[in-house]
Amino acid sequence: MAISHFTEDLNGGSEITNEAKVIDMPPEPCPACSDTRMRTLFSATDRLYQTTNKPFLVVECEGCRLMRLYPQPTPFELNQYYPGDYWFSPSADATTRLAQQYRRLVLLDHVWFASRAMENAGGEGILLDVGCGGGLFLDMMRERGYAGMGLDFSLAAAAIAWQRFAVPVVCATLSKAPLPEASCKLITMYHVLEHLFDPVSYLQAAHQLLTPDGRLVVQIPNAACWQFLILGKDWNGIDVPRHLINFRASELESLLDFTGFEVVRRKYFSLRDNPAGLATSVAPGLDPMARHVRGVQETPGMKLLKDMAYFGLVLAALPITAFEAACGAGSTIMIEARKKQ
Ligand SMILES: [Zn+2]
């Protein structure tokens, strides 16, 4: 089989060759259909946070068209591509009131969507937010009367959520969460599945943890958006090398169906993600989180100027991304699902 692969150069770095080569190891099969045939879409590196300059391939399975990072990094390697501050919001350190209010404002979409899902599930019971980060979402849900707890890989994130919002957080993977079966009314997973080696295990675990009338809310970047068509590898939703699988909305729905869920509602726009995603795709160097993570040295005046330029881009992106979403090709998809009856 002729595919691209990686060769180590003498400096310890690596380069990608596109010539046909015989690969020593058997190619990793597609996680969805087990087909080993694939075509290379492009090579890319960590453009946003610059944790590495190693190139990666994004390949498409020739059997089922699922796109994924190839080859998949080891868990140890992947851990190094998450900067220490990744789990927190950009302004977690020195927040101004305005920045805090902005973060709360743009998170309202998620809060409203989840609140309605909770009402659909009967309105009372435990909410579990998987990949909860610093806990702001859970804090906002609690303000609306929904008792919640978080789950995150990161002990540091769990500590922040507890210290800032007194939100209880389990530090575990969902498959091994210390929670009894059928104990949750609502499980939310915002931008989690695309980061996982085995998203199926998370959805199966969610299925077990939910009550019979419980609801699952999932959000991912939608690779079937116009932005990916136009911007290609510069689209922020690909996020090499942290996104291991790049789902199209239809592929997420197939995965939900496979794991025993049926879709109740879909939403292709979120105020926090779609406009900022386009702004970051166009100008990754202005992204406040990326500047923070990369430790970019800025005078206060320069910081303000860059923040304002980025905010201007987000505002300009708002009508474009809203139109894209209205046409069913939004750059994210949020789904409410329930167990198949
Ligand atoms: Zn496949």
Side-chain angles (χ1 to χ4, degrees), residues 83-141:
D85 298 345
Y86 180 82
W87 312 94
F88 318 127
S89 46
S91 40
D93 50 352
T95 36
T96 62
R97 275 183 89 111
L98 196 65
Q100 277 279 19
Q101 282 167 355
Y102 174 77
R103 290 172 49 225
R104 284 184 173 267
L105 175 75
V106 295
L107 202 51
L108 277 174
D109 260 345
H110 295 72
V111 169
W112 288 336
F113 196 89
S115 299
R116 191 166 143 199
M118 190 60 133
E119 291 309 313
N120 288 344
E124 282 187 5
I126 290 178
L127 152 67
L128 177 66
D129 183 32
V130 179
C132 65
L136 179 61
F137 168 75
L138 283 167
D139 186 51
M140 291 174 70
M141 289 298 285

Short mmCIF file of all heavy atoms in Angstrom, two decimals, residues 83-141:
data_model
loop_
_atom_site.label_atom_id
_atom_site.label_comp_id
_atom_site.label_asym_id
_atom_site.label_seq_id
_atom_site.Cartn_x
_atom_site.Cartn_y
_atom_site.Cartn_z
N PRO A 83 -0.74 22.12 26.72
CA PRO A 83 0.00 23.02 27.59
C PRO A 83 -0.60 23.05 28.99
O PRO A 83 -1.79 22.73 29.16
CB PRO A 83 -0.15 24.38 26.91
CG PRO A 83 -0.97 24.20 25.70
CD PRO A 83 -1.43 22.78 25.63
N GLY A 84 0.21 23.41 29.98
CA GLY A 84 -0.25 23.41 31.35
C GLY A 84 -1.52 24.20 31.58
O GLY A 84 -2.35 23.85 32.41
N ASP A 85 -1.70 25.27 30.82
CA ASP A 85 -2.86 26.15 31.03
C ASP A 85 -4.04 25.77 30.16
O ASP A 85 -5.04 26.48 30.14
CB ASP A 85 -2.48 27.61 30.70
CG ASP A 85 -1.38 28.10 31.61
OD1 ASP A 85 -1.14 27.44 32.63
OD2 ASP A 85 -0.79 29.13 31.30
N TYR A 86 -3.92 24.66 29.44
CA TYR A 86 -4.92 24.34 28.42
C TYR A 86 -6.33 24.26 28.98
O TYR A 86 -7.29 24.66 28.35
CB TYR A 86 -4.57 23.00 27.76
CG TYR A 86 -5.54 22.59 26.69
CD1 TYR A 86 -5.44 23.11 25.41
CD2 TYR A 86 -6.58 21.70 26.96
CE1 TYR A 86 -6.33 22.74 24.42
CE2 TYR A 86 -7.47 21.33 25.98
CZ TYR A 86 -7.34 21.85 24.72
OH TYR A 86 -8.23 21.49 23.75
N TRP A 87 -6.43 23.73 30.19
CA TRP A 87 -7.75 23.40 30.73
C TRP A 87 -8.51 24.61 31.24
O TRP A 87 -9.67 24.54 31.56
CB TRP A 87 -7.59 22.40 31.88
CG TRP A 87 -6.69 21.30 31.47
CD1 TRP A 87 -5.34 21.22 31.68
CD2 TRP A 87 -7.04 20.13 30.73
NE1 TRP A 87 -4.84 20.06 31.13
CE2 TRP A 87 -5.86 19.38 30.54
CE3 TRP A 87 -8.24 19.65 30.21
CZ2 TRP A 87 -5.86 18.17 29.85
CZ3 TRP A 87 -8.23 18.45 29.54
CH2 TRP A 87 -7.05 17.73 29.36
N PHE A 88 -7.82 25.71 31.35
CA PHE A 88 -8.47 26.87 31.93
C PHE A 88 -8.80 27.89 30.85
O PHE A 88 -8.24 27.88 29.78
CB PHE A 88 -7.57 27.51 32.99
CG PHE A 88 -6.90 26.49 33.86
CD1 PHE A 88 -5.55 26.50 34.02
CD2 PHE A 88 -7.64 25.49 34.46
CE1 PHE A 88 -4.92 25.55 34.79
CE2 PHE A 88 -7.04 24.53 35.23
CZ PHE A 88 -5.67 24.55 35.40
N SER A 89 -9.66 28.78 31.21
CA SER A 89 -10.00 29.84 30.28
C SER A 89 -8.83 30.81 30.19
O SER A 89 -8.02 30.89 31.10
CB SER A 89 -11.24 30.55 30.78
OG SER A 89 -11.08 30.80 32.15
N PRO A 90 -8.73 31.56 29.09
CA PRO A 90 -7.57 32.41 28.86
C PRO A 90 -7.31 33.38 30.00
O PRO A 90 -6.18 33.71 30.29
CB PRO A 90 -7.92 33.18 27.60
CG PRO A 90 -9.12 32.55 27.03
CD PRO A 90 -9.71 31.62 28.02
N SER A 91 -8.38 33.81 30.61
CA SER A 91 -8.20 34.88 31.58
C SER A 91 -8.27 34.36 33.02
O SER A 91 -8.69 35.06 33.92
CB SER A 91 -9.26 35.94 31.35
OG SER A 91 -10.49 35.34 31.05
N ALA A 92 -7.89 33.09 33.20
CA ALA A 92 -8.01 32.49 34.53
C ALA A 92 -7.09 33.17 35.54
O ALA A 92 -7.35 33.16 36.72
CB ALA A 92 -7.71 31.01 34.46
N ASP A 93 -5.99 33.75 35.08
CA ASP A 93 -5.03 34.29 36.03
C ASP A 93 -5.42 35.70 36.49
O ASP A 93 -5.63 35.95 37.66
CB ASP A 93 -3.62 34.27 35.44
CG ASP A 93 -3.57 34.87 34.06
OD1 ASP A 93 -4.64 35.17 33.51
OD2 ASP A 93 -2.46 35.05 33.54
N ALA A 94 -5.47 36.61 35.56
CA ALA A 94 -5.73 37.99 35.95
C ALA A 94 -6.98 38.49 35.23
O ALA A 94 -6.93 39.23 34.27
CB ALA A 94 -4.52 38.85 35.58
N THR A 95 -8.11 38.04 35.70
CA THR A 95 -9.33 38.37 34.98
C THR A 95 -9.82 39.77 35.31
O THR A 95 -9.89 40.16 36.46
CB THR A 95 -10.45 37.39 35.36
OG1 THR A 95 -10.30 37.07 36.72
CG2 THR A 95 -10.39 36.16 34.50
N THR A 96 -10.19 40.45 34.30
CA THR A 96 -10.91 41.69 34.53
C THR A 96 -12.38 41.33 34.62
O THR A 96 -12.79 40.28 34.16
CB THR A 96 -10.70 42.66 33.36
OG1 THR A 96 -11.23 42.05 32.20
CG2 THR A 96 -9.24 42.97 33.15
N ARG A 97 -13.14 42.19 35.21
CA ARG A 97 -14.60 41.94 35.31
C ARG A 97 -15.21 41.79 33.93
O ARG A 97 -16.07 40.95 33.70
CB ARG A 97 -15.27 43.14 36.01
CG ARG A 97 -15.26 43.07 37.52
CD ARG A 97 -16.01 44.27 38.04
NE ARG A 97 -17.43 43.98 38.18
CZ ARG A 97 -18.03 43.89 39.36
NH1 ARG A 97 -17.34 44.04 40.46
NH2 ARG A 97 -19.31 43.65 39.45
N LEU A 98 -14.72 42.61 33.00
CA LEU A 98 -15.27 42.60 31.65
C LEU A 98 -15.04 41.24 30.98
O LEU A 98 -15.95 40.68 30.37
CB LEU A 98 -14.61 43.72 30.83
CG LEU A 98 -15.31 44.10 29.54
CD1 LEU A 98 -16.69 44.70 29.83
CD2 LEU A 98 -14.45 45.10 28.75
N ALA A 99 -13.83 40.71 31.12
CA ALA A 99 -13.50 39.43 30.51
C ALA A 99 -14.36 38.32 31.11
O ALA A 99 -14.85 37.44 30.41
CB ALA A 99 -12.02 39.12 30.69
N GLN A 100 -14.55 38.37 32.43
CA GLN A 100 -15.39 37.38 33.11
C GLN A 100 -16.81 37.43 32.57
O GLN A 100 -17.42 36.40 32.30
CB GLN A 100 -15.42 37.68 34.62
CG GLN A 100 -14.24 37.12 35.39
CD GLN A 100 -14.42 35.64 35.70
OE1 GLN A 100 -15.22 34.95 35.07
NE2 GLN A 100 -13.65 35.15 36.65
N GLN A 101 -17.31 38.67 32.45
CA GLN A 101 -18.69 38.81 31.97
C GLN A 101 -18.83 38.33 30.54
O GLN A 101 -19.82 37.71 30.17
CB GLN A 101 -19.14 40.28 32.09
CG GLN A 101 -19.50 40.65 33.51
CD GLN A 101 -19.66 42.13 33.72
OE1 GLN A 101 -19.41 42.94 32.82
NE2 GLN A 101 -20.07 42.52 34.93
N TYR A 102 -17.79 38.58 29.73
CA TYR A 102 -17.81 38.13 28.34
C TYR A 102 -17.86 36.60 28.29
O TYR A 102 -18.65 36.02 27.54
CB TYR A 102 -16.57 38.65 27.61
CG TYR A 102 -16.43 38.10 26.21
CD1 TYR A 102 -17.22 38.60 25.18
CD2 TYR A 102 -15.55 37.05 25.93
CE1 TYR A 102 -17.12 38.08 23.89
CE2 TYR A 102 -15.44 36.53 24.66
CZ TYR A 102 -16.23 37.05 23.64
OH TYR A 102 -16.13 36.52 22.38
N ARG A 103 -17.05 35.96 29.12
CA ARG A 103 -17.01 34.49 29.12
C ARG A 103 -18.36 33.91 29.55
O ARG A 103 -18.81 32.89 29.02
CB ARG A 103 -15.90 34.00 30.04
CG ARG A 103 -14.51 34.28 29.48
CD ARG A 103 -13.42 33.97 30.48
NE ARG A 103 -13.59 32.66 31.07
CZ ARG A 103 -13.47 32.38 32.37
NH1 ARG A 103 -13.18 33.34 33.22
NH2 ARG A 103 -13.66 31.17 32.81
N ARG A 104 -18.98 34.55 30.51
CA ARG A 104 -20.31 34.09 30.94
C ARG A 104 -21.35 34.30 29.84
O ARG A 104 -22.20 33.45 29.60
CB ARG A 104 -20.73 34.82 32.22
CG ARG A 104 -20.01 34.30 33.44
CD ARG A 104 -20.48 34.94 34.73
NE ARG A 104 -19.85 34.27 35.85
CZ ARG A 104 -20.38 33.26 36.52
NH1 ARG A 104 -21.61 32.84 36.24
NH2 ARG A 104 -19.74 32.67 37.49
N LEU A 105 -21.24 35.43 29.18
CA LEU A 105 -22.21 35.76 28.13
C LEU A 105 -22.14 34.74 26.99
O LEU A 105 -23.16 34.20 26.56
CB LEU A 105 -21.93 37.18 27.59
CG LEU A 105 -22.78 37.60 26.41
CD1 LEU A 105 -24.21 37.93 26.87
CD2 LEU A 105 -22.19 38.81 25.69
N VAL A 106 -20.91 34.45 26.52
CA VAL A 106 -20.81 33.58 25.35
C VAL A 106 -21.07 32.10 25.70
O VAL A 106 -21.32 31.30 24.80
CB VAL A 106 -19.44 33.72 24.62
CG1 VAL A 106 -19.29 35.11 24.04
CG2 VAL A 106 -18.28 33.38 25.53
N LEU A 107 -21.05 31.79 26.98
CA LEU A 107 -21.34 30.41 27.39
C LEU A 107 -22.84 30.16 27.54
O LEU A 107 -23.28 29.02 27.76
CB LEU A 107 -20.61 30.10 28.70
CG LEU A 107 -20.32 28.63 29.04
CD1 LEU A 107 -19.63 27.90 27.90
CD2 LEU A 107 -19.49 28.51 30.31
N LEU A 108 -23.64 31.21 27.39
CA LEU A 108 -25.09 31.07 27.60
C LEU A 108 -25.73 30.05 26.66
O LEU A 108 -26.65 29.34 27.05
CB LEU A 108 -25.78 32.43 27.45
CG LEU A 108 -25.74 33.32 28.69
CD1 LEU A 108 -26.32 34.69 28.38
CD2 LEU A 108 -26.49 32.68 29.86
N ASP A 109 -25.25 29.99 25.42
CA ASP A 109 -25.76 29.01 24.46
C ASP A 109 -25.70 27.59 25.02
O ASP A 109 -26.64 26.81 24.92
CB ASP A 109 -24.87 29.01 23.21
CG ASP A 109 -25.48 29.82 22.09
OD1 ASP A 109 -26.68 30.11 22.16
OD2 ASP A 109 -24.75 30.13 21.14
N HIS A 110 -24.53 27.27 25.58
CA HIS A 110 -24.32 25.94 26.15
C HIS A 110 -25.25 25.72 27.34
O HIS A 110 -25.82 24.65 27.52
CB HIS A 110 -22.86 25.77 26.60
CG HIS A 110 -21.86 25.81 25.47
ND1 HIS A 110 -21.54 26.96 24.79
CD2 HIS A 110 -21.12 24.82 24.91
CE1 HIS A 110 -20.64 26.68 23.86
NE2 HIS A 110 -20.37 25.39 23.91
N VAL A 111 -25.37 26.76 28.15
CA VAL A 111 -26.19 26.68 29.37
C VAL A 111 -27.66 26.48 28.99
O VAL A 111 -28.35 25.62 29.56
CB VAL A 111 -25.98 27.93 30.23
CG1 VAL A 111 -27.00 28.01 31.35
CG2 VAL A 111 -24.56 27.95 30.80
N TRP A 112 -28.13 27.25 28.03
CA TRP A 112 -29.54 27.14 27.62
C TRP A 112 -29.83 25.77 27.00
O TRP A 112 -30.84 25.15 27.27
CB TRP A 112 -29.89 28.25 26.61
CG TRP A 112 -29.98 29.61 27.22
CD1 TRP A 112 -30.24 29.89 28.54
CD2 TRP A 112 -29.78 30.87 26.58
NE1 TRP A 112 -30.23 31.25 28.74
CE2 TRP A 112 -29.95 31.88 27.57
CE3 TRP A 112 -29.49 31.26 25.28
CZ2 TRP A 112 -29.84 33.24 27.29
CZ3 TRP A 112 -29.37 32.62 24.99
CH2 TRP A 112 -29.55 33.59 26.00
N PHE A 113 -28.91 25.32 26.15
CA PHE A 113 -29.10 24.02 25.48
C PHE A 113 -29.17 22.91 26.53
O PHE A 113 -30.05 22.04 26.47
CB PHE A 113 -27.96 23.78 24.49
CG PHE A 113 -28.24 22.70 23.48
CD1 PHE A 113 -28.86 22.99 22.27
CD2 PHE A 113 -27.89 21.37 23.73
CE1 PHE A 113 -29.12 22.00 21.34
CE2 PHE A 113 -28.15 20.37 22.81
CZ PHE A 113 -28.76 20.69 21.60
N ALA A 114 -28.25 22.96 27.49
CA ALA A 114 -28.20 21.92 28.53
C ALA A 114 -29.41 22.02 29.46
O ALA A 114 -29.97 21.00 29.89
CB ALA A 114 -26.90 22.04 29.32
N SER A 115 -29.84 23.26 29.75
CA SER A 115 -30.99 23.43 30.64
C SER A 115 -32.25 22.81 30.02
O SER A 115 -33.02 22.14 30.70
CB SER A 115 -31.25 24.92 30.91
OG SER A 115 -30.14 25.50 31.54
N ARG A 116 -32.40 23.04 28.71
CA ARG A 116 -33.57 22.46 28.05
C ARG A 116 -33.50 20.93 28.03
O ARG A 116 -34.51 20.25 28.22
CB ARG A 116 -33.71 23.02 26.63
CG ARG A 116 -35.04 22.67 26.01
CD ARG A 116 -35.33 23.48 24.78
NE ARG A 116 -36.01 22.66 23.79
CZ ARG A 116 -36.09 22.95 22.50
NH1 ARG A 116 -35.51 24.05 22.04
NH2 ARG A 116 -36.73 22.18 21.67
N ALA A 117 -32.29 20.42 27.84
CA ALA A 117 -32.11 18.95 27.87
C ALA A 117 -32.47 18.42 29.24
O ALA A 117 -33.11 17.36 29.37
CB ALA A 117 -30.67 18.59 27.51
N MET A 118 -32.08 19.16 30.29
CA MET A 118 -32.39 18.74 31.67
C MET A 118 -33.91 18.76 31.88
O MET A 118 -34.46 17.83 32.48
CB MET A 118 -31.69 19.69 32.65
CG MET A 118 -31.73 19.23 34.09
SD MET A 118 -30.94 17.63 34.34
CE MET A 118 -29.93 17.95 35.75
N GLU A 119 -34.57 19.78 31.38
CA GLU A 119 -36.04 19.84 31.50
C GLU A 119 -36.68 18.67 30.75
O GLU A 119 -37.62 18.05 31.23
CB GLU A 119 -36.57 21.17 30.97
CG GLU A 119 -36.20 22.38 31.82
CD GLU A 119 -36.52 22.20 33.31
OE1 GLU A 119 -37.64 21.75 33.61
OE2 GLU A 119 -35.64 22.47 34.15
N ASN A 120 -36.15 18.36 29.57
CA ASN A 120 -36.66 17.22 28.78
C ASN A 120 -36.50 15.91 29.54
O ASN A 120 -37.25 14.96 29.33
CB ASN A 120 -35.93 17.13 27.44
CG ASN A 120 -36.33 18.24 26.49
OD1 ASN A 120 -37.35 18.91 26.69
ND2 ASN A 120 -35.53 18.47 25.46
N ALA A 121 -35.48 15.86 30.41
CA ALA A 121 -35.22 14.63 31.18
C ALA A 121 -36.01 14.59 32.48
O ALA A 121 -35.86 13.65 33.26
CB ALA A 121 -33.72 14.52 31.47
N GLY A 122 -36.81 15.61 32.72
CA GLY A 122 -37.63 15.61 33.93
C GLY A 122 -37.29 16.72 34.90
O GLY A 122 -38.00 16.95 35.86
N GLY A 123 -36.16 17.39 34.67
CA GLY A 123 -35.87 18.61 35.41
C GLY A 123 -35.07 18.48 36.69
O GLY A 123 -34.54 19.45 37.19
N GLU A 124 -34.96 17.27 37.22
CA GLU A 124 -34.23 17.11 38.48
C GLU A 124 -33.27 15.94 38.38
O GLU A 124 -33.55 14.96 37.69
CB GLU A 124 -35.21 16.86 39.64
CG GLU A 124 -35.87 18.13 40.11
CD GLU A 124 -36.70 17.89 41.37
OE1 GLU A 124 -36.67 16.77 41.90
OE2 GLU A 124 -37.38 18.84 41.79
N GLY A 125 -32.15 16.05 39.10
CA GLY A 125 -31.17 14.97 39.11
C GLY A 125 -29.79 15.50 38.87
O GLY A 125 -29.58 16.69 38.73
N ILE A 126 -28.84 14.56 38.81
CA ILE A 126 -27.43 14.95 38.73
C ILE A 126 -27.01 15.26 37.30
O ILE A 126 -27.34 14.53 36.37
CB ILE A 126 -26.54 13.84 39.33
CG1 ILE A 126 -26.75 13.80 40.85
CG2 ILE A 126 -25.06 14.08 39.02
CD1 ILE A 126 -25.97 12.73 41.54
N LEU A 127 -26.29 16.37 37.17
CA LEU A 127 -25.66 16.73 35.90
C LEU A 127 -24.18 16.41 36.03
O LEU A 127 -23.53 16.78 37.01
CB LEU A 127 -25.86 18.24 35.66
CG LEU A 127 -24.80 18.98 34.83
CD1 LEU A 127 -24.81 18.51 33.39
CD2 LEU A 127 -25.06 20.48 34.87
N LEU A 128 -23.64 15.71 35.05
CA LEU A 128 -22.21 15.42 35.01
C LEU A 128 -21.61 16.07 33.78
O LEU A 128 -22.00 15.76 32.65
CB LEU A 128 -21.97 13.90 34.97
CG LEU A 128 -20.50 13.46 34.86
CD1 LEU A 128 -19.71 13.84 36.12
CD2 LEU A 128 -20.39 11.96 34.60
N ASP A 129 -20.67 17.00 33.98
CA ASP A 129 -20.01 17.67 32.85
C ASP A 129 -18.64 17.02 32.63
O ASP A 129 -17.73 17.18 33.44
CB ASP A 129 -19.86 19.17 33.14
CG ASP A 129 -19.25 19.92 31.96
OD1 ASP A 129 -19.50 19.50 30.81
OD2 ASP A 129 -18.54 20.92 32.18
N VAL A 130 -18.53 16.31 31.53
CA VAL A 130 -17.29 15.60 31.23
C VAL A 130 -16.33 16.55 30.51
O VAL A 130 -16.71 17.19 29.53
CB VAL A 130 -17.59 14.36 30.34
CG1 VAL A 130 -16.31 13.62 29.98
CG2 VAL A 130 -18.57 13.45 31.03
N GLY A 131 -15.09 16.63 30.99
CA GLY A 131 -14.14 17.60 30.45
C GLY A 131 -14.49 18.99 30.95
O GLY A 131 -14.56 19.94 30.17
N CYS A 132 -14.70 19.10 32.26
CA CYS A 132 -15.30 20.32 32.82
C CYS A 132 -14.32 21.49 32.95
O CYS A 132 -14.74 22.62 33.17
CB CYS A 132 -15.90 20.03 34.20
SG CYS A 132 -14.63 19.57 35.42
N GLY A 133 -13.02 21.24 32.80
CA GLY A 133 -12.04 22.33 32.89
C GLY A 133 -12.18 23.09 34.20
O GLY A 133 -12.32 22.50 35.27
N GLY A 134 -12.18 24.41 34.11
CA GLY A 134 -12.21 25.26 35.30
C GLY A 134 -13.57 25.39 35.97
O GLY A 134 -13.68 26.06 36.99
N GLY A 135 -14.63 24.78 35.42
CA GLY A 135 -15.90 24.68 36.13
C GLY A 135 -16.89 25.81 35.92
O GLY A 135 -17.94 25.84 36.58
N LEU A 136 -16.62 26.73 35.00
CA LEU A 136 -17.53 27.87 34.82
C LEU A 136 -18.94 27.42 34.38
O LEU A 136 -19.95 27.92 34.89
CB LEU A 136 -16.95 28.85 33.78
CG LEU A 136 -17.80 30.08 33.48
CD1 LEU A 136 -18.01 30.93 34.72
CD2 LEU A 136 -17.18 30.92 32.36
N PHE A 137 -18.99 26.48 33.45
CA PHE A 137 -20.28 25.99 32.97
C PHE A 137 -21.12 25.42 34.13
O PHE A 137 -22.31 25.71 34.27
CB PHE A 137 -20.06 24.93 31.88
CG PHE A 137 -21.29 24.14 31.52
CD1 PHE A 137 -22.29 24.71 30.75
CD2 PHE A 137 -21.45 22.83 31.96
CE1 PHE A 137 -23.45 23.98 30.43
CE2 PHE A 137 -22.59 22.10 31.64
CZ PHE A 137 -23.58 22.68 30.88
N LEU A 138 -20.47 24.62 34.98
CA LEU A 138 -21.19 24.01 36.11
C LEU A 138 -21.66 25.08 37.09
O LEU A 138 -22.75 24.98 37.66
CB LEU A 138 -20.29 23.00 36.81
CG LEU A 138 -20.15 21.67 36.08
CD1 LEU A 138 -19.01 20.84 36.66
CD2 LEU A 138 -21.45 20.88 36.13
N ASP A 139 -20.85 26.11 37.25
CA ASP A 139 -21.25 27.21 38.13
C ASP A 139 -22.50 27.90 37.57
O ASP A 139 -23.45 28.17 38.32
CB ASP A 139 -20.09 28.21 38.25
CG ASP A 139 -20.39 29.30 39.25
OD1 ASP A 139 -20.79 28.96 40.39
OD2 ASP A 139 -20.25 30.49 38.90
N MET A 140 -22.52 28.12 36.27
CA MET A 140 -23.68 28.78 35.66
C MET A 140 -24.92 27.89 35.71
O MET A 140 -26.04 28.37 35.87
CB MET A 140 -23.36 29.18 34.22
CG MET A 140 -22.33 30.32 34.15
SD MET A 140 -21.81 30.72 32.45
CE MET A 140 -23.29 31.48 31.78
N MET A 141 -24.72 26.58 35.57
CA MET A 141 -25.86 25.66 35.67
C MET A 141 -26.41 25.63 37.10
O MET A 141 -27.62 25.56 37.32
CB MET A 141 -25.45 24.24 35.24
CG MET A 141 -25.20 24.08 33.76
SD MET A 141 -26.67 24.40 32.71
CE MET A 141 -27.63 22.90 32.98
#
